[in-house]
Structure formats: C-alpha cells, structure tokens
C-alpha cells in the first residue's frame, strides 16, 4: 500500500466503492468532494472535453467538477454513462466483440494531482473497464493489468461478471462472420445498413478543475472483430491518453495502431508544454501520424484512409480537438455541453486507388 494511501482510507473508500455510496455516489472516489474556492480565486476555467459520443459524459463530468469532485472521479463518472449504455456499440456493455464473438475491453486513465496511471487491456465480462483502470491506479503498485488477471482483480473489488454481448452486438458479429468468406460454410447474409461497415469507436474524456487539476480517461471495446488478444491504443499510457498536471491532458479515438506509433497522447501534451495551444498541438500530432503512415493505408492523393482524432486541454482550461477530416467533438466549458467542430488537416477523405 502506498504512502499516500492509509489503510483507513483504503477501507473507507473500498467500502464506499462496493456499495457505490458517498455524497455524490462516486464509486471508489479518489477523494471526497470538497468545497470550491471562491470563483475569483479559481486557477483555471473548469472544462470537460470528449469525443463526440461524450455529450452526456462532459455534462456529468462538468457537474461533478462544480460540486468539488476530484478531476479523475469526474471523467470516470462521465464515461461510465457510455460504458453502461447498451446502445453504444463501441464501449463497455454492448461493445462489438472480437473475431471469436468475445467482448474484450481496454481502458486507461491518468490523475494529474497524484501523478498516477492505471490501465486494463483485453478485459472480459466487466461493464466498466474505466473504473477498473482507476482501481489499478489507486490501489496498486502497477499500471497495466490484462486479460484474466485484470478480471480477477476486478472481481476482488466487488465487480460482477456479466455477459457483455447485447442482441445487437451478437447479431453484428454473426453477420460479420457469415459474410467473411463466400466459400466457407456460413451462408452469406445480405448487408444491412447498420451492419455493413466495420465500425470503430471509443470515448476519451479530459477535465480541468477550478483548481487547475487535470486528468484523462479513454475506454473502448476496440476495433470491431479484432484478432482475439489485440490491444489498441486506448489502454496504453501516452497513446490513448496522457496527463501531466503541470501542462494538461490529451487523448485519442480512431485507428489505434496509427496512434500507438506516434505516442499521440504524450506527443500532444509535449507540444503544449512547448507552448502550443491545444488545437494546434492536436494538429501537429496528426501531421506526425500522416508522416508515419504506411503506403498501404494511404489513398492515391497521399491522405490516410482511416480516421483518427485528438482532444486536448491545458492546465488553464483552454481546450481543442482535431482530426484528419471534418467532424465533431463534445465540450462543456461552463456555458453548456455541446458538440463543436473539430479542426482538421484535410477537407475531404482520401481518394481511393
Ligand atoms: N482507438 C480504438 C482502438 O484502436 C478504436 C477507436 O477509437 O475507434 O482500439
């Protein structure tokens, strides 16, 4: 047990987590909510920023920030809404499974004030991998647990093992498998609109408290129908997200393999450390992604044939996000939670060969 975590804190917060009690109903809180300083003495503009699927997440996170919640508690409670939503097939419960029809979830988080990090990879049977990543961060000397070990760890803290497939995600997988090979023994089924593409998706959420404390979380079911055991960028500290409380935080959604090669979360924070604004830092990271893209993934105009986005906040509460192509992201900056336009490198998608 670490110096900063007494046995008493541990027992208190563990009990609170299992029962999901506490003033604001935060499971396993990093710390209890505490009163904010008077507004004139705020060190930062509080803000919550996420991928476009995170409108409810940024609303929730922002509400918690203004109730004095910890920065990491706020973003985890935000992304949990998507993880628990059976209709979001890119995250948590209802996420699209791997090639064997098994849902394997990835998540990571970083907490600026304590300089800690936690992550889980290829986690099966647990609906909220972001919470498990937070437990790794809070209660262990490690950073990254995977597979059976990660599940065992979650069960020890009172999480329930559940079937994460929904009717929709099972159907999508069966459909994908049937259409994989025209010569196999599964009869092809006609494409339907919602099952025709090979979808991706993830949620990243970053927040700054009025005191200027920063954190980030990214959680995903990863690339749909991936090779079993594949782990993407989301649970990799420095790729899926990164936080430095002296600078800010950044995270990513989109083609994970392209992010891993540039350590995009870390790189974006480093660009901000050198003085770039969040949006410019995200655009600079995207240029690095393009520079490191293999020819097979480029169109004949040299543009990538995939999508990837970066989201960033700095310690003062400035924020921004960017993508290869036009799109949207979600932010709550004190006025309202709303979708905003991403900055982008290219107006139009890559031309096909
Ligand atoms: N980045 C995720 C992964 O590669 C997928 C996504 O965001 O679409 O696992």
């Amino acid at each position: 047990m670490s110096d900063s975590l007494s046995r008493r804190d541990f027992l208190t917060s563990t009990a609170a987590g299992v029962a999901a009690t506490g003033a604001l109903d935060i499971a396993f809180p990093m710390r209890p909510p505490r009163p904010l300083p008077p507004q004139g003495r705020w060190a930062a503009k509080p803000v919550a920023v996420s991928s476009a699927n995170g409108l409810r997440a940024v609303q929730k996170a922002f509400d918690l920030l203004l109730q004095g919640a910890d920065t990491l508690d706020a973003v985890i409670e935000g992304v949990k809404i998507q993880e628990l939503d059976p209709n979001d097939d890119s995250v948590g419960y209802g996420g699209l499974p791997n090639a064997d029809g098994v849902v394997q979830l990835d998540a990571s988080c970083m907490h600026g004030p304590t300089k800690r990090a936690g992550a889980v990879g290829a986690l099966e049977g647990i609906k909220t991998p972001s919470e498990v990543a937070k437990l790794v961060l809070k209660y262990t000397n490690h950073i990254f647990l995977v597979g059976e070990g990660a599940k065992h760890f979650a069960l020890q803290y009172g999480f329930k093992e559940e079937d994460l497939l929904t009717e929709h995600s099972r159907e999508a997988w069966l459909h994908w498998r049937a259409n994989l090979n025209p010569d196999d023994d599964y009869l092809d089924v006609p494409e339907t609109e919602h099952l025709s593409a090979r979808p991706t998706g993830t949620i990243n959420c970053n927040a700054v408290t009025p005191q200027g404390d920063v954190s980030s979380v990214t959680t995903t079911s990863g690339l749909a129908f991936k090779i079993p055991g594949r782990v993407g960028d989301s649970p990799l500290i420095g790729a899926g997200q990164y936080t430095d409380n002296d600078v800010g935080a950044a995270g990513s959604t989109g083609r994970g393999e392209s992010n891993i090669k540039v350590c995009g979360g870390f790189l974006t924070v480093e660009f901000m450390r050198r003085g770039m604004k969040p949006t410019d830092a995200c655009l600079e990271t995207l240029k690095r992604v393009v520079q490191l893209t293999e020819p097979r993934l480029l169109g004949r105009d040299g543009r990538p044939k995939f999508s990837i986005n970066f989201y960033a906040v700095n310690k003062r509460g400035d924020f921004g996000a960017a993508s290869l192509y036009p799109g949207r992201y979600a932010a709550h900056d004190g006025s309202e939670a709303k979708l905003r336009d991403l900055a982008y490198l290219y107006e139009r998608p890559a031309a096909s060969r």
Side-chain angles (χ1 to χ4, degrees), residues 225-310:
F225 320 130
K226 59 197 172 187
I227 296 173
R230 178 264 190 187
V231 165
D233 60 320
S234 307
L236 304 185
I237 305 297
Q241 56 72 42
Y242 192 74
T243 297
D244 180 330
N245 218 42
D246 292 338
V247 180
S252 179
T253 62
R255 188 171 188 276
E257 282 73 5
S258 296
N259 182 24
I260 291 171
K261 288 191 295 180
V262 303
C263 305
F266 178 76
L267 187 61
T268 306
V269 170
E270 290 309 295
F271 284 138
M272 290 194 289
R273 191 193 305 278
R274 292 183 215 164
M276 281 189 192
K277 295 196 171 106
T279 306
D280 294 337
C282 293
L283 286 166
E284 211 52 35
T285 300
L286 285 162
K287 288 182 195 159
R288 189 72 65 86
V289 168
V290 175
Q291 188 195 327
L292 277 180
T293 297
E294 302 144 53
R296 72 185 172 91
L297 296 170
L298 296 173
R300 60 182 155 71
D301 51 9
R303 296 178 186 176
K305 293 191 282 187
F306 53 86
S307 79
I308 185 165
N309 315 311
F310 291 94

